[in-house]
């Protein structure tokens, strides 16, 4: 059986360019709301989308800030979006928690996944539960990386 080639989804935000600083309003130093995300090249077979935002530079290892699934593929991911079902982040909350590095500049990876099914996980499920449910269902993905450090610490 041939391996399935994943479609590359173009993921961007009007709030910041890839590799640039994430504006304060989307962080713990600001309003702590999720940025609007723009998706292009979503596979036609997509049944739902999932988003994962993580900080791989956290002292304790990769830190999950936001996870949401069962987003309709036609949805517009607005600022402070409430589309989809939210999972439990590593802060122990079921909501978006923006960048808040303890020291230095950290990278924040926003990843979107096109799925050939709905995950139908209950709200508050964890990253490992989400990733397990996504196994064998990802048909496309995209990534956007932003940077952040506390203004007072730079």
């Amino acid at each position: 059986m041939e391996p399935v080639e994943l479609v590359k989804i173009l993921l961007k935000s009007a709030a910041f360019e890839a590799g640039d600083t994430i504006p304060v309003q989307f962080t713990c130093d600001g309003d702590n709301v999720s940025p609007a995300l723009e998706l292009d090249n979503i596979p036609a077979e997509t049944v739902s989308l999932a988003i994962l935002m993580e900080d791989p530079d956290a002292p304790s290892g990769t830190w999950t800030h936001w996870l949401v699934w069962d987003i309709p593929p036609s949805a517009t991911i607005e600022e402070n979006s409430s589309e989809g079902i939210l999972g439990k982040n590593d802060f122990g909350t079921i909501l978006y928690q923006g960048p808040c590095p303890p020291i230095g500049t950290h990278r924040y990876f926003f990843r979107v996944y096109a799925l050939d099914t709905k995950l139908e996980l209950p709200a508050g499920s964890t990253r490992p539960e989400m990733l397990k449910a996504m196994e064998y269902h990802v048909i496309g993905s995209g990534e956007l990386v932003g940077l952040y450090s506390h203004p007072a610490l730079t």
Side-chain angles (χ1 to χ4, degrees), residues 5 12 32 62 90 92 96 112 120 126 136-137 143:
E5 176 106 10
K12 58 185 181 175
N32 221 4
T62 299
D90 286 341
Y96 170 91
V112 64
E120 299 181 1
T126 63
Y136 311 112
H137 295 289
E143 179 178 277

Side-chain angles (χ1 to χ4, degrees), residues 46-133:
T46 302
V47 173
S48 71
L49 300 169
I51 296 172
L52 183 59
M53 179 204 169
E54 299 177 303
D55 171 5
D57 303 319
S60 60
T62 299
W63 192 265
T64 301
H65 285 258
W66 187 35
L67 57 161
V68 58
W69 56 87
D70 289 356
I71 302 167
S74 60
T76 302
I77 313 297
E78 303 283 350
E79 183 175 313
N80 203 20
S81 177
S82 59
E83 289 282 350
I85 298 172
L86 289 165
K88 185 184 290 185
N89 59 36
D90 286 341
F91 295 95
T93 60
I94 303 172
L95 49 86
Y96 170 91
Q97 297 239 193
C100 199
I103 189 168
T105 301
H106 286 211
R107 297 168 297 150
Y108 294 88
F109 287 75
F110 291 82
R111 294 186 176 103
V112 64
Y113 301 94
L115 307 171
D116 64 3
T117 188
K118 281 186 149 193
L119 298 184
E120 299 181 1
L121 290 169
S125 294
T126 63
R127 177 185 178 276
E129 291 167 329
M130 178 180 131
L131 293 177
K132 176 77 174 147

